[in-house]
């Protein structure tokens, strides 16, 4: 099958190419797409050199699966064009996620939703995916009534420019220079910013609203009450979530550890006495969602508190997209056209 990667030069696109090399080392039927600025740039994948092409309306006629991870406006423009051309579009933006005609999928949680796609499948926001990966198995113990999820999100969630800004700004501020924020709304070096994306009238940011709306859609559970506070921290890769769950019946930390350790894609790292718990430096580059600090929530008899960490570019984005493609192929939900 011919795979197109729109945004191949970006932070998620590069992770997608790394994972393609890791998962399909023989596969070189690829099309690397980005903006006009990158046209002609050479990139090596699986031992073959590809010239990056500008993304246009004509880019998708020979493509079976198109992974889009560029700007939201690029998804809006090229997603429907690629689907119309017959490609299965796996889109990493917020453009289509809440469209009732578009499945929003984490394969381990709701892979069956791939059966009703109309050409476009969305992947969740990189902080929603790890949340539903831990919430889903715990629902087996007792229905969940309420989720409070407070995030500590790395700058790579905002793309390559934000990563460069953290590096350069840290050096500048260390030497007494001015921060001059650009890719972030405030100084990020030696700071934390309680704003990701813009504010809505409710006082929540769009990033927080995404966690609320997307997790309910993926879990098929509009009845779960969800609140989130999303915070940017000066870390390059991996997002963390302080997660508080309220169940209908009490669930013990031991039971939760057991259910979580049986969930594919989740690893329990929970031995606080030996200072074992997940951290961004350890999660970066890994495929798994890590969970630790699992304990009874002191504020509610049916509550559990835990700490969740995942590489936002891997399971938070590129890996989830590739797993959707694999799952869709397995289910016969890709109507490929190339031989
Ligand atoms: P380019 O490198 O040519 O600008 P990041 O998330 O790291 O900021 O990366 C954003 C990605 O989106 C890059 O690969 C970027 O390509 C791509 N992109 C930006 N504008 C467009 C566009 N108009 N069409 C296709 N891809 C685009
Ligand atoms: C961040 N989670 O960390 C965001 C990036 O809706 O796909 C992903 C935005 C999105 O900035």
């Amino acid at each position: 099958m011919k795979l197109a990667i729109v945004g191949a030069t970006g932070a998620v696109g590069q992770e997608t190419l790394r994972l393609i090399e890791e998962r399909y080392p023989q596969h070189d039927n690829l099309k690397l797409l980005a903006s006009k600025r990158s046209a002609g740039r050479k990139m090596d994948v699986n031992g073959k050199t590809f010239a990056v092409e500008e993304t246009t309306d004509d880019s998708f006629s020979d493509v079976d699966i198109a992974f889009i991870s560029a700007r939201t406006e690029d998804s809006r423009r090229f997603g429907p064009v690629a689907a119309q051309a017959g490609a299965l579009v796996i889109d990493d933006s917020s453009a289509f996620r809440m469209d009732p005609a578009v499945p929003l999928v984490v394969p381990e949680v709701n892979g069956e939703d791939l059966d009703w796609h109309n050409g476009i499948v969305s992947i969740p926001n990189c902080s929603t995916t790890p949340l539903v990966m831990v919430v889903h198995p715990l629902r087996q113990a007792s229905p969940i009534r309420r989720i409070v999820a407070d995030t500590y999100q790395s700058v790579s969630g905002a793309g390559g420019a934000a990563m460069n800004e953290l590096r350069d700004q840290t050096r500048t501020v260390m030497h007494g220079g001015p921060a001059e924020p650009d890719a972030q709304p405030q100084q990020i070096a030696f700071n934390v910013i309680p704003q990701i994306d813009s504010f809505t009238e409710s006082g929540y940011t769009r990033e927080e609203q995404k966690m609320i709306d997307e997790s309910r859609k993926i879990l098929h559970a509009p009845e779960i009450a969800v609140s989130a506070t999303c915070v940017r921290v000066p870390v390059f890769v991996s997002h963390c979530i302080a997660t508080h769950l309220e169940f209908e019946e009490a669930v013990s930390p031991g039971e939760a550890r057991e259910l979580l350790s049986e969930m594919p894609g989740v690893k329990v790292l929970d031995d606080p006495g030996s200072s074992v718990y997940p951290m961004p430096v350890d999660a970066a580059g890994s495929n798994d969602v890590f969970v630790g600090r699992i304990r009874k929530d002191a504020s509610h008899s049916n509550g559990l508190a835990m700490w969740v960490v995942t590489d936002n570019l891997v399971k938070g984005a590129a890996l989830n997209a590739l797993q959707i493609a694999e799952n869709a192929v397995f289910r016969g939900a890709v109507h490929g056209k190339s031989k």
Side-chain angles (χ1 to χ4, degrees):
M1 288 200 175
K2 189 166 200 99
L3 310 180
I5 294 92
V6 180
T9 53
V12 173
Q14 296 199 27
E15 204 56 41
T16 307
L17 297 176
R18 182 187 72 75
L19 284 167
I20 285 173
E21 288 186 321
E22 191 179 287
R23 293 170 91 82
Y24 331 121
Q26 308 298 327
H27 196 93
D28 61 5
N29 195 6
L30 302 172
K31 189 178 252 192
L32 273 46
L33 300 166
S35 77
K36 196 177 185 169
R37 290 179 294 277
S38 302
R41 181 177 152 187
K42 301 280 192 292
M43 292 176 79
D44 290 336
V45 189
N46 278 338
K48 189 166 157 182
T49 302
F50 294 86
V52 176
E53 298 170 40
E54 179 188 358
T55 316
T56 69
D57 290 348
D58 300 325
S59 297
F60 303 97
S61 55
D62 57 347
V63 170
D64 298 297
I65 302 180
F67 298 95
I68 307 185
S69 196
R71 301 166 309 167
T72 304
E73 64 217 78
D74 303 320
S75 294
R76 285 210 183 91
R77 170 155 178 220
F78 296 115
V81 170
Q84 190 62 38
L88 171 64
V89 175
I90 301 178
D91 185 62
D92 182 25
S93 78
S94 57
F96 314 108
R97 286 181 191 142
M98 295 314 296
D99 182 336
V102 174
L104 177 63
V105 176
V106 175
E108 297 91 334
V109 177
N110 65 330
E112 70 281 1
D113 284 341
L114 288 170
D115 292 340
W116 52 266
H117 78 76
N118 292 308
I120 301 179
V121 176
S122 283
I123 75 165
N125 184 9
C126 45
S127 46
T128 309
T129 300
L131 180 66
V132 299
M133 285 284 286
V134 298
V135 165
H136 180 63
L138 294 175
R139 288 197 294 175
Q140 285 175 45
S142 168
I144 289 174
R145 284 200 173 138
R146 179 166 179 250
I147 301 171
V148 178
D150 296 332
T151 70
Y152 304 65
Q153 297 182 218
S154 65
V155 293
S156 54
M163 296 173 81
N164 292 338
E165 180 170 270
L166 173 59
R167 196 189 51 235
D168 297 345
Q169 202 180 76
T170 301
R171 278 201 201 105
T172 305
V173 173
M174 281 272 285
H175 293 97
E180 291 174 353
D182 180 25
Q184 294 292 325
Q186 306 283 350
Q187 173 178 332
I188 184 63
F190 309 103
N191 198 15
V192 298
I193 307 172
Q195 178 189 354
I196 299 180
D197 210 328
S198 52
F199 284 93
T200 68
E201 276 181 11
S202 65
Y204 282 88
T205 60
R206 292 200 154 69
E207 181 80 354
E208 290 158 356
Q209 197 60 47
K210 283 182 225 169
M211 288 192 74
I212 295 168
D213 298 337
E214 294 176 16
S215 51
R216 288 171 170 159
K217 177 170 175 175
I218 299 161
L219 295 164
H220 300 170
E223 73 284 0
I224 299 181
V226 186
S227 180
T229 300
C230 293
V231 179
R232 187 76 72 198
V233 295
V235 166
F236 282 103
V237 175
S238 297
H239 289 356
C240 312
I241 318 173
T243 307
H244 296 258
L245 305 177
E246 181 190 324
F247 297 85
E248 269 180 27
E249 311 286 338
V251 178
S252 73
E255 196 179 353
R257 269 183 218 107
E258 208 172 301
L259 288 167
L260 287 163
S261 58
E262 285 163 7
M263 174 73 179
V266 171
K267 279 228 162 69
V268 177
L269 272 186
D270 196 15
D271 185 5
S274 307
S275 297
V276 172
Y277 33 69
M279 292 187 291
V281 286
D282 301 321
S286 169
N287 287 356
D288 290 314
V289 172
F290 296 94
V291 55
R293 301 283 325 274
I294 302 167
R295 61 204 190 276
K296 280 190 86 64
D297 185 333
S299 70
H300 197 285
S301 55
N302 290 354
L304 282 181
M306 61 200 70
W307 175 247
V308 179
V309 184
T310 200
D311 185 321
N312 52 298
L313 301 175
V314 181
K315 184 57 182 169
L319 175 64
N320 200 53
L322 290 177
Q323 288 173 322
I324 286 174
E326 290 164 10
N327 209 294
V329 170
F330 179 73
R331 288 170 179 276
V334 183
H335 316 295
K337 53 190 150 182
S338 61
K339 293 273 176 301

